[in-house]
Structures are given as C-alpha cells and as structure tokens.
C-alpha cells in the first residue's frame, strides 16, 4: 500500500502532465488511497524521479475538488484543480475538440471557440504556477503534451532559472493546417519557452521550426531557434517507445501463456486470429479495418470457420460528441457484419468495448496471428510496439498504417494506407498467407528495433539533450 506524507518539499526534477500518474481508489473500509496507474511514461521516469527529488504536477481526475500536495511511494504529487466548466472547455473542448482533430490532419472537423481558448489559457497558467511553486532553484521541468503547450513560456516568465523541456505525444501538423488556428502565434510562442521541444518524428520538428520562422520571425539554424532574449530553443525528434522487456516477461508468465490458450479455445481455435486494440478514437482507423475484414468474409476470401477478428476498444472521451457518434457507428458496423455473415457460435468479429489489465493485453497479443494497426494519423502508436515485444515465439505479423509514427521504425511491418480499403484487404491477406519463414524474418527485425530503442533510451536521449541545452547545467538528470 502507498505511503503518504503531508506537504512535499521542493523538487529537482518535475514532470508536468494533464493527469497525475495515480488513480484514486476507495478501499473496502471506506478510506481513500492512490494507486499508480500503469503507463509507459510513469515507468520510464520512475528511476529518474526516485533517483532524486522528483515531483509530478497534474490533475487528479475529479472536478471541483482542491487537494493538498502529497507524497505517494516517495513521489511528490501536486494536484491541480479543475472546475466542471474547465473540464468541459479546456479538456473536452480546446484540447480534445480543437487541438486533437487539428493536429491529426483534420480527420474530424476542429471546432474553434473563444471561450475554450480562454479556459486553456487559465488552466495552463494554473499548471505553470503549480510547477513554479514546487521546482527547486535550477531544477529541470519536463512538460508533457498538447494540453499544456503554453506552460513552457508561462513557467519561464515566472522562473527563468529553470531548465524546461517539452514533449508532444501527438503529431505536430503541417503548417497549412496549423495556420487555421486563431491562436497559432500564442501556441508557437508558448512552446518556445522551452529549451528543448521534442516531437515524435523529424517532420513534426521541421513543421514547428518553419512556423517559428514564418509566424514569429525567429532566426533558425538547423534544429535551433535563436530567441530575442538571447536564449536558444531546440526542436528535435524523440520517437517514444515502451518497456519492451517488461512486456516480454509478462507474456512469458504461465498465467499469460495459459490465458492466451484459453482465448484461442474460446474463439473456437480459428486458423487465423486478427486483432485490433485501440482507444475508441476516430483517428485510429477502426472502421476502415473492420470494413476491410467484413468484406473479406463477405466475398469468401476468408471463412468465418477459419478466421476471427477481435477488436478491443477502450472507452475514451465519452462526453465529446465525435466520440459518441463513432461508438454508434462501430456498434452498427460490427452488428451488420456479424448479422450478415456469422453462424451460430461463430460471429466473425468479437468486439469488446472495455479496458483490460496489461496481462490480458499480453495474452491477446500472444493469441493474435495478425495485429492490425490502421490509424489515419497517430503520433507513434505503442500498441504496435507492445505486440512486437510480446512475441517471444518470434512469429506473428503486423499490418501497420504508414500514417502512424511507428511506421518509420517498424519498416518490416506490412505497411498500408488505411484509406485504401482494397489495399488494406490485400495486405491483410498477404500477411495471413505469408510463409512462416517470411513472418519470422520480419518479426526478428522489428523485435531488434523495439528492444534496442525502448522507453529508457527515449527518456535518456531527451534528458541528456535537455541537460546540454543549458550551458550552466550541473545536475545529472539522467539517473
Ligand atoms: P494513444 O493515442 O492512447 O497515445 P497508443 O500509443 O496506442 O495510443 O497507446 C495506447 C495505450 O493504451 C497502449 O499502451 C495500450 O496497451 C493501451 N490500451 C489500448 N486499449 C486498451 C484496452 N482495451 N485495455 C487496456 N489498455 C489498452 C498517445 C498518442 C500516440 C503515442 C502515445 C505515447 O496518440 O500516438 O504513441 O500517446 O506517446
């Protein structure tokens, strides 16, 4: 159980993210406790956070509630309060109905509302103040993701002594799209408050540098922006990854191996199991892949006796309109395909709208013959890497969208354009009929990539560069 202490001291290393890495749980006796939510970022930063005085600034997940900072398992946690209206306007509104669709190539229509922007400003300021309050003299602060793009500048104004890094987990869009944003200059200036701005891919960094030049008339040279106050900021790519060894180990435990066999038996031992795993999000191309599979069944290219598709979709952002619509559309599509082509005890698609423990995910990855990852646009896509890490048998094929950041690394996947349904169908069939030696050759290369470039390497590369970004740096932030 977590140990707690009141009011934490100041910290040398501070992470600022929309959410704290803990979830509140109510114990059987009614007392409230906090449990670390399992996520790649928390795992990656744990050694850094515990190796020195680490703190994490973020919302604790419940609106209209102000909590005092507390310590959980040696980690200082600084909860930032959000009102119900701020959750609607800053989080569901500006973050998830303006920035999220705009940054994902406009695959849904971004909405622009001035009140949402005002809330984004207010909440970013609150996060910056919380970070300024907990960071020790000369500390390193690492700000995460699209919800907090103004924090670097706001923090720099309050605390010029800090070394500030920023990492964007989602794509940074082409300038033509970004320029639609009425507050485009403010966002670029907000990010330029950081010493180092990290993107998933070099293309994102280049888009950003072009905007710094074009919108704010900054001097840039290579990946470096020279600011009027004499500072420099660098924009570079740091493709994120997973704790590959932890996934591999988990997949090898007797419980997971047995569970994988059970899932296969429950599906009726089909010859080919296709798998999709995503947050239920319109950027993930879930409809496209289900439609492709449905057509392959309807045309007789695949037989429901031999082939099954398992689609797991975690409920996500359920109060945002686009997500409600998407859920209905997928319900309808799956129902239609199963209704039209299924037989008793053999629905071609098993659709699960829920979240599962990591062990269950590892069992699913182990059961699958073909993992189908078809986002229309995705910063990276960790599911693809988790699948690869779990394949201790060196077998299994990955069908991967060329519009996922992961496609730049997992080049031996069956790369597809998810808008091209015929192409997607052809690639799914090619993967399903590939000889074992071919599948294993591809998987070997992908496993090498994922294991050599794991989450520790990602954090280490970013923090090493951040340390160099400030010539006055002394502290060792890499652990
Ligand atoms: P996401 O859009 O959430 O992340 P992704 O990278 O695939 O996408 O990560 C999803 C995570 O959720 C994975 O770890 C996966 O195992 C887990 N998950 C999915 N469905 C689940 C289920 N039903 N039950 C339990 N767990 C489930 C954003 C960006 C990505 C980027 C990451 C990290 O959109 O492009 O890769 O951040 O930077």
């Amino acid at each position: 159980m977590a140990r707690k202490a009141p009011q934490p001291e100041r910290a040398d290393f501070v992470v600022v993210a929309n959410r704290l890495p803990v979830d509140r749980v109510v114990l059987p006796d009614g007392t409230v406790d906090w449990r670390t939510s399992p996520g790649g970022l928390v795992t990656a930063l744990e050694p850094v956070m515990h190796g020195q005085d680490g703190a994490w600034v973020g919302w604790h997940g419940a609106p209209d509630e102000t909590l005092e900072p507390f310590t959980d398992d040696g980690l200082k946690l600084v909860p930032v309060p959000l009102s119900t209206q701020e959750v609607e306007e800053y989080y569901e509104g500006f973050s998830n109905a303006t920035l999220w669709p705009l940054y994902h190539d406009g695959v849904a229509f971004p909405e622009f509302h001035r009140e949402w922007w005002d809330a984004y400003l207010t909440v970013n300021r609150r996060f910056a103040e919380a970070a300024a309050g907990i960071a020790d003299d000369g500390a390193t602060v690492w700000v995460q993701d699209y919800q907090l793009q103004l924090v670097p500048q706001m923090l720099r104004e309050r605390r010029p002594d800090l070394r500030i890094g920023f990492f964007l987990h989602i794509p940074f869009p082409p300038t033509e799209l970004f320029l639609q944003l009425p507050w485009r200059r403010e966002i670029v200036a907000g990010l330029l408050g950081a010493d180092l701005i990290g993107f998933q891919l070099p293309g994102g960094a280049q888009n950003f540098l072009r905007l710094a030049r074009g919108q704010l008339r900054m001097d840039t040279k290579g990946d470096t922006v020279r600011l009027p106050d004499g500072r420099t900021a660098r924009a570079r790519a740091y493709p994120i990854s997973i704790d590959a060894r932890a996934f591999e180990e988990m997949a090898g435990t007797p419980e997971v191996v047995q569970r994988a066999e059970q899932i296969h038996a429950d599906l009726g031992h089909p010859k080919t199991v296709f798998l999709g795993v995503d947050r239920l999000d319109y950027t993930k191309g879930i409809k496209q892949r289900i439609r492709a599979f449905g057509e392959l069944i309807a045309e007789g290219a695949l037989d429901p006796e031999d082939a099954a598709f398992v689609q797991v979709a975690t409920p996500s952002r359920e109060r945002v309109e686009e997500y409600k619509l998407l859920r209905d559309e997928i319900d309808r599509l799956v129902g239609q395909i199963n209704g039209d082509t299924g037989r008793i005890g053999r629905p071609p698609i098993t659709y699960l709208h829920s979240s599962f423990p990591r062990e269950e995910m590892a069992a699913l990855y182990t059961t699958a013959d073909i993992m189908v990852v078809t986002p229309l646009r995705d910063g990276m896509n960790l599911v693809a890497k988790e699948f690869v890490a779990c394949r201790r048998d060196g077998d299994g094929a990955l069908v991967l969208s060329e519009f996922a950041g992961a496609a730049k690394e997992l080049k031996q996947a069956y790369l597809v354009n998810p808008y091209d349904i015929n192409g997607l169908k052809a690639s799914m069939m090619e993967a399903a009929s590939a000889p074992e030696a071919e599948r294993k050759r591809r998987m070997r290369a992908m496993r090498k990539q994922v294991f050599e470039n794991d989450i520790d390497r990602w954090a280490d590369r970013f923090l090493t560069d951040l340390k160099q970004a400030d010539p006055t740096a002394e502290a060792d932030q890499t652990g």
Side-chain angles (χ1 to χ4, degrees):
M1 186 172 303
R3 291 180 301 278
K4 286 196 191 57
Q7 191 64 30
E9 304 286 305
R10 298 214 290 168
D12 292 339
F13 180 71
V14 182
V15 172
V16 188
N18 176 58
R19 279 298 308 270
L20 283 177
V22 289
D23 287 318
R24 189 180 357 217
V25 286
V26 181
L27 301 174
D29 65 0
T31 53
V32 166
D33 200 0
W34 296 90
R35 213 151 276 162
T36 309
S37 29
L41 194 60
V42 199
T43 320
L45 297 179
E46 215 161 36
V48 192
M49 306 281 274
H50 282 123
Q52 52 198 315
D53 284 329
W56 192 301
V57 176
W59 182 42
H60 53 281
D64 302 316
E65 183 185 50
T66 302
L67 296 178
E68 287 304 312
F70 61 98
T71 303
D72 183 87
D73 263 342
L75 179 62
K76 301 178 180 75
L77 298 171
V78 184
V80 177
L82 293 183
S83 69
T84 299
Q85 192 177 348
E86 285 165 349
V87 173
E88 279 171 26
E89 296 184 343
Y90 144 80
Y91 179 69
E92 293 163 357
F94 199 78
S95 298
N96 289 328
T98 305
L99 293 174
W100 180 270
L102 184 72
Y103 281 30
H104 287 89
D105 275 3
V107 297
F109 205 65
E111 288 184 53
F112 302 116
H113 298 295
R114 284 163 285 183
E115 319 80 73
W116 290 1
W117 166 253
D118 292 341
Y120 189 78
L121 265 175
T122 305
V123 172
N124 271 250
R125 199 173 298 124
R126 193 173 306 144
F127 273 82
E129 271 157 16
I134 191 83
D136 212 343
D137 295 341
T140 294
V141 181
W142 194 0
V143 183
Q144 307 288 326
D145 227 356
Y146 62 103
Q147 303 93 346
L148 301 175
Q149 294 172 100
L150 306 177
V151 170
Q153 184 189 30
M154 290 171 166
L155 188 54
R156 170 127 352 246
E157 281 163 12
R158 286 162 178 78
R159 294 289 306 275
D161 60 302
L162 300 176
R163 200 176 313 140
I164 303 171
F166 179 91
F167 184 75
L168 185 70
H169 291 255
I170 67 175
F172 192 81
T175 50
E176 292 81 355
L177 264 171
F178 186 84
L179 290 176
Q180 289 180 9
L181 192 66
W183 309 279
R184 56 203 191 184
R185 290 169 60 91
E186 286 89 334
I187 298 273
V188 176
L191 290 170
L192 282 171
D195 297 297
L196 179 62
I197 308 153
F199 299 87
Q200 299 277 22
L201 298 180
Q206 282 151 17
N207 292 344
F208 176 76
L209 288 163
R210 194 169 307 135
L211 285 161
R213 278 193 302 272
Q215 289 294 301
L216 299 184
R217 303 270 158 242
M218 298 283 173
D219 271 352
T220 66
K221 190 168 181 217
D223 60 14
T224 305
V225 183
R226 194 169 299 284
L227 292 128
D229 62 4
R231 277 193 317 118
T232 56
R234 288 177 86 191
R236 299 192 71 185
Y238 302 87
I240 201 167
S241 192
I242 57 166
D243 187 346
R245 252 160 294 274
F247 273 98
E248 184 184 45
E249 262 171 45
M250 199 192 302
T253 60
E255 295 76 20
V256 169
V257 172
Q258 203 182 352
R259 178 66 193 143
E261 285 164 9
Q262 184 64 49
I263 294 171
H264 206 261
D266 290 348
L267 291 168
H269 288 304
K271 201 167 124 262
T272 313
V273 178
F274 293 85
L275 174 67
V277 170
D278 315 77
R279 266 185 321 94
L280 187 58
D281 195 295
Y282 52 79
T283 60
K284 301 290 184 184
I286 302 172
K287 275 190 293 188
Q288 282 77 357
R289 87 179 69 125
I290 288 180
R291 195 172 298 139
F293 179 76
E295 287 186 15
L296 289 171
I297 294 276
E299 291 159 3
L302 291 172
D303 183 339
E305 294 296 327
D306 294 337
F309 201 111
V310 179
Q311 175 64 51
V312 182
T314 318
S316 180
R317 305 175 191 167
E318 292 184 294
R319 288 156 46 104
V320 179
E321 195 54 33
E322 282 288 338
Y323 290 77
K324 292 183 195 158
L325 295 174
L326 176 73
R327 186 178 172 189
D328 289 347
E329 279 181 85
I330 291 179
D331 281 351
R332 206 173 317 122
L333 189 59
V334 170
Q336 200 176 31
I337 294 169
N338 282 344
D340 287 349
T341 60
R343 296 172 206 157
I344 288 177
R346 287 281 179 164
I349 302 171
T350 301
Y351 172 52
L352 305 164
H353 181 243
S354 52
S355 184
F356 290 109
R358 307 200 126 212
E359 290 75 11
E360 182 75 359
M361 306 291 286
L364 283 164
Y365 293 139
T366 307
T367 310
D369 296 292
I370 299 165
M371 183 83 216
V372 194
V373 181
T374 53
L376 306 177
R377 180 58 76 193
D378 212 336
M380 178 53 58
N381 195 288
L382 298 181
V383 165
K385 293 187 174 182
E386 291 169 2
F387 169 69
V388 167
C390 284
R391 297 316 297 239
R392 304 170 65 94
D393 59 356
D395 205 345
L398 175 64
V399 173
L400 177 62
S401 163
E402 56 192 67
F403 304 126
K408 297 279 178 291
E409 296 182 276
L410 303 176
K411 298 194 176 108
Q412 298 77 13
Y414 292 86
L415 294 179
V416 293
N417 169 3
Y419 293 98
D420 171 13
I421 302 289
N422 284 346
L424 181 52
K425 284 160 69 181
S427 293
M428 285 166 71
M429 290 307 291
E430 191 190 344
S433 56
E436 184 184 343
E438 169 70 5
R439 288 195 310 265
K440 290 195 162 169
R441 182 188 65 76
R442 290 174 181 249
M443 183 53 82
R444 198 176 315 120
M446 292 193 290
R447 283 176 66 78
K448 185 165 184 293
Q449 217 293 332
V450 171
F451 280 83
E452 281 177 4
N453 296 284
D454 66 357
I455 186 84
D456 286 343
R457 176 118 200 276
W458 170 79
D460 194 49
R461 279 191 56 222
F462 186 93
L463 292 171
T464 302
D465 282 359
L466 180 55
K467 191 166 56 177
Q468 284 167 0
D470 182 347
T472 62
E474 280 169 16
D476 181 4
Q477 304 292 358
T478 54

